[in-house]
């Protein structure tokens, strides 16, 4: 008899998005962990998740350290049905994008590893969403760095249901504890153990589901992009005294120190308005002035014959114009060589043969 499991999973996938956001419309969804409450949300539907809410279908219980809630930066919006919002791309290497407390990890990585590997199905689902093997989970988590977001950020979140990871778009509140990789990308949300991925961002009007927090502004959402190269450390803001901290990648705060070369702006600078100078991005090469004179090429070791007078020829392939005496080379004078073999008898003259051409064709001379 055919197993009902494939049909069951198909039905769950078809109904999950509607169930998820119907639940979120009545609350934050933090206590809804029953099967069928998570699903693949459309990019136009975004779930708002406050920093303490695990949301639908958490992989684990919270491993986030207790932290103070961030100070609100404005009043919450009115009705949260839809909003025209702006998502700002920000490099994961940007100093000040993340924060933390000096010498204190934002997440208990060891406990997170133990919770994710206690069941084979859960470990397999997490590994699939993180694009690793299940046996790599402990090492993978240790390679990540625990920090907290300093801006509301959109991500692709993954809930756990019926042995599978299901993706949905979410905005995480500033202050949320996350584990980030060497390019500054959020990879795990510590309050629920969910794997995270880059967001799927669409312009214009979207449906914002869930409960808004004080200071939430749909025009001030960031989408973290990978840094230009893998980094060995992150420059974060100390949330206690608003100073810079350099935190080594994969470290839980034990090697925190003040950076030798701090960023050229204050830790409290607004990440979005106006955008600060970004020295962590590679600068474009300096433009070459149009009237710059090219440098003279180095002369050969052997001086050779003197150069003809006139303008210096261009470095690239020449374009030959017929009748131009300045471009066409002078034919080289050739002297006959001494004949080989015995001389002809007296009174006999060796017949002259056909003349050999002295010059190669123009196509050979000016071949590019």
């Amino acid at each position: 008899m055919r197993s009902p499991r494939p049909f069951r999973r198909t039905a769950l996938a078809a109904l999950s998005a509607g169930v998820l956001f119907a639940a979120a419309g009545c609350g934050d969804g933090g206590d809804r962990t029953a099967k069928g409450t998570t699903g693949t949300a459309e990019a136009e539907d975004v779930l708002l998740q406050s920093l303490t809410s695990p949301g639908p279908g958490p992989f684990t219980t919270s491993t986030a350290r207790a932290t103070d809630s961030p100070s609100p930066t404005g009043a919450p919006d009115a009705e949260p049905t839809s909003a025209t919002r702006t998502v700002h791309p920000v490099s994961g290497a940007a100093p000040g994008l993340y924060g933390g407390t000096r010498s204190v990890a934002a997440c208990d990585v060891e406990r997170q590893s133990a919770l994710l590997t206690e069941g084979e199905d859960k470990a397999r689902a997490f590994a699939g969403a993180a694009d690793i093997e299940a046996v790599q989970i402990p090492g993978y988590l240790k390679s990540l760095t625990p920090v907290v977001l300093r801006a509301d950020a959109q991500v692709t979140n993954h809930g756990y249901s019926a042995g599978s990871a299901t993706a949905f778009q979410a905005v995480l509140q500033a202050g949320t504890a996350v584990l980030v990789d060497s390019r500054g990308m959020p990879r795990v949300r510590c309050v629920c153990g969910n794997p995270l991925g880059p967001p799927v961002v669409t312009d214009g009007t979207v449906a914002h589901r869930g409960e808004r927090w004080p200071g939430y502004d749909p025009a001030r959402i960031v989408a973290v992009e990978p840094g230009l190269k893998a980094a060995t450390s992150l420059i974060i803001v100390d949330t206690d005294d608003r100073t810079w901290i350099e935190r080594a990648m994969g470290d839980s705060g034990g090697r925190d120190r003040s950076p030798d070369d701090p960023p050229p702006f204050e830790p409290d600078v607004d990440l979005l308005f106006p955008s600060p100078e970004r020295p962590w991005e590679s600068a474009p090469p300096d433009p070459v002035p149009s009237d710059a004179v090219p440098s003279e090429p180095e002369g050969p070791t052997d001086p050779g014959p003197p150069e003809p007078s006139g303008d210096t020829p261009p470095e690239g392939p020449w374009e030959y114009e017929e009748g131009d005496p300045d471009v066409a080379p002078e034919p080289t004078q050739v002297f006959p060589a001494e004949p080989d073999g015995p001389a002809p008898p007296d009174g006999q003259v060796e017949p002259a043969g056909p003349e050999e051409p002295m010059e190669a064709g123009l196509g050979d001379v000016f071949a590019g």
Side-chain angles (χ1 to χ4, degrees):
M1 181 176 178
R2 187 177 179 183
S3 172
R5 179 176 289 273
F7 174 80
R8 181 185 180 191
R9 289 185 177 179
T10 303
L12 283 173
L15 298 174
S16 55
V19 174
L20 166 64
F21 292 121
C26 299
D28 62 12
D31 59 350
R32 298 184 179 272
T33 59
K35 295 178 181 179
T37 59
T38 69
T40 302
E42 296 296 331
E44 292 79 8
D45 293 326
V46 180
L47 178 63
L48 303 181
Q49 295 190 279
S50 63
L51 72 162
T52 57
S53 169
F59 268 74
T60 67
T61 57
S62 177
T63 61
R65 308 283 190 187
T67 57
D68 294 333
S69 300
S71 301
T73 56
D77 296 330
E79 286 301 316
T81 54
S82 64
T84 300
R85 47 77 174 272
T86 305
V87 179
H88 305 266
V90 177
S91 170
L97 175 61
Y98 299 108
T101 303
R102 186 181 293 269
S103 303
V104 177
C107 178
D108 188 339
V109 178
E110 293 291 341
R111 184 163 176 259
Q112 187 69 73
S113 177
L115 292 173
L116 285 172
T117 56
E118 64 182 6
E120 291 184 4
D121 289 345
K122 184 180 295 184
R124 189 182 303 110
F126 178 92
D131 197 23
I132 59 174
E133 298 294 332
V135 295
Q136 297 176 314
I137 290 176
Y140 172 71
L141 294 178
K142 289 180 180 179
S143 72
L144 304 178
T145 308
V147 290
V148 297
L149 289 166
R150 294 190 64 241
D152 297 343
Q154 182 171 335
V155 297
T156 296
N157 204 339
H158 296 81
Y160 178 68
S161 177
S164 300
T166 50
F168 60 95
Q169 294 302 300
V171 172
L172 306 182
Q173 184 185 4
T176 297
V178 292
L179 299 177
V180 301
D181 65 15
S182 61
R183 292 182 182 270
M185 294 296 293
R187 292 303 181 188
V188 180
R189 185 171 181 238
C190 301
V191 76
C192 55
N194 291 4
L196 304 176
V200 178
V201 179
T202 58
D203 297 328
T205 302
V206 300
H208 285 186
R209 312 290 185 178
E211 193 170 315
R212 303 186 182 194
W213 47 84
Y216 171 73
D217 184 349
R220 294 178 58 86
I221 300 172
V222 302
V224 183
E225 296 183 339
L228 294 176
K229 60 181 181 179
T232 58
S233 62
L234 278 176
I235 305 298
I236 66 175
V237 175
D238 191 327
T239 54
D240 287 342
D241 58 11
R242 295 296 190 269
T243 58
W244 292 114
I245 299 174
E246 182 173 354
R247 177 164 293 180
M249 286 295 183
D251 185 67
S252 294
R255 292 185 287 165
D256 284 355
R257 64 187 186 91
S258 298
D260 295 330
D261 187 17
F265 49 88
E266 295 300 318
D268 282 334
V269 73
D270 193 323
L271 285 171
L272 304 179
F273 303 107
S275 297
E277 179 185 1
R278 290 178 164 85
W280 55 90
E281 302 285 8
S282 61
D286 295 334
V288 179
S290 57
D291 57 348
V293 179
S295 59
E296 294 291 336
E298 296 183 1
T301 304
D302 183 5
E307 295 184 0
S309 61
D311 296 334
T312 304
E315 296 181 357
W318 292 352
E319 295 183 1
Y320 174 72
E321 296 182 6
E322 187 175 357
D324 189 344
D326 293 332
V327 177
E330 295 288 340
T332 304
Q333 186 177 5
V334 178
F335 295 95
E338 292 294 332
D340 295 332
D346 294 340
Q348 295 183 10
V349 179
E350 185 177 358
E355 293 185 359
E356 296 291 336
M358 297 175 62
E359 298 180 18
L362 291 179
D364 297 331
V365 174
F366 299 105

